[in-house]
Amino acid sequence: DDCVGLVLDKLTELKLDEKTIVIFTSDNGGLHVHEFTNSPSTHNTPYRGGKGFLYEGGLRVPTIIRWPGHIKPAVTGVPIVNIDWVPTLLALAGLKIPDGLDGQDQSPLLLGTKADQEPRVLYWHFPHYNNQGGRPAGAVREGDWKYIKHYDTGRVELYNLADDVAEQHDVATDHVGVAASLDELHSTWLK
């Protein structure tokens, strides 16, 4: 992280900081299992799992955006995903956003002109086994509902993230209709 600081300091020194958008983020949650002898792992509490898993510990990542004079420091819980960066950066650069992109422009959220985004459904597809222990699965999030379908076994899980952000209480059998609705969304999205 010292290197990020060095880059930011150099941008300021060169008087390029107000002309440069810096995004610090990741493609997955922290590594929570040892891959190699003495390899470091992270702790994603209160979230379950980490890299390679569809639980919140594998999907939620820190994101820091810096653009002095344009984006004010703020903390938000609004979910954004990495596919949002292309339309967002195009909008921030004043360019036209082409039709058909999967991501959504989040520039109003970043610039403080809008406090929230329109409700949307988020999808994930991990169709493989991985060296962290993850198995082939897909996930759908609609509002506070999070649905996970394990492709190799057919097992499904359902969580209400508003009540259970740690994903400790699978409520799929208690909310069969919600699980079926999210399963349909998932199947349609895959097609």
Side-chain angles (χ1 to χ4, degrees), residues 28-35 39-45 47-51 57-58 60 62:
N28 50 252
L31 182 64
H32 75 293
V33 297
H34 291 282
E35 289 185 313
S39 68
S41 61
T42 56
H43 204 281
N44 299 314
T45 301
Y47 309 117
R48 178 178 177 182
K51 179 180 180 177
R60 289 191 187 216

Side-chain angles (χ1 to χ4, degrees), residues 62-180:
T63 300
I64 301 169
I65 304 157
R66 181 177 180 252
W67 192 19
H70 303 276
I71 296 176
K72 294 179 180 159
V75 175
T76 181
V78 173
I80 60 173
V81 290
N82 283 345
I83 59 173
D84 293 338
W85 291 124
V86 170
T88 301
L89 290 170
L90 288 170
L92 291 173
L95 300 172
K96 182 181 181 317
I97 300 170
D99 293 333
L101 294 179
D102 289 333
Q104 288 185 3
D105 172 17
Q106 299 298 328
S107 63
L109 177 69
L110 300 178
L111 297 172
T113 59
K114 189 174 181 186
D116 207 348
Q117 63 186 192
E118 298 298 319
R120 67 176 171 165
V121 180
L122 300 174
Y123 300 92
W124 294 269
H125 179 58
F126 290 5
H128 58 279
Y129 296 92
N130 64 54
N131 60 331
Q132 291 86 23
R135 305 176 65 83
V140 176
R141 178 173 175 182
E142 183 175 34
D144 292 325
W145 291 109
K146 167 95 166 286
Y147 171 83
I148 300 172
K149 183 172 189 170
H150 299 272
Y151 300 146
D152 57 348
T153 64
R155 184 172 66 92
V156 301
E157 299 174 58
L158 181 68
Y159 301 96
N160 184 325
L161 298 178
D163 299 332
D164 182 22
V165 74
E167 295 170 298
Q168 297 299 304
H169 307 286
D170 177 2
V171 296
T173 57
D174 299 330
H175 298 278
V176 175
V178 173

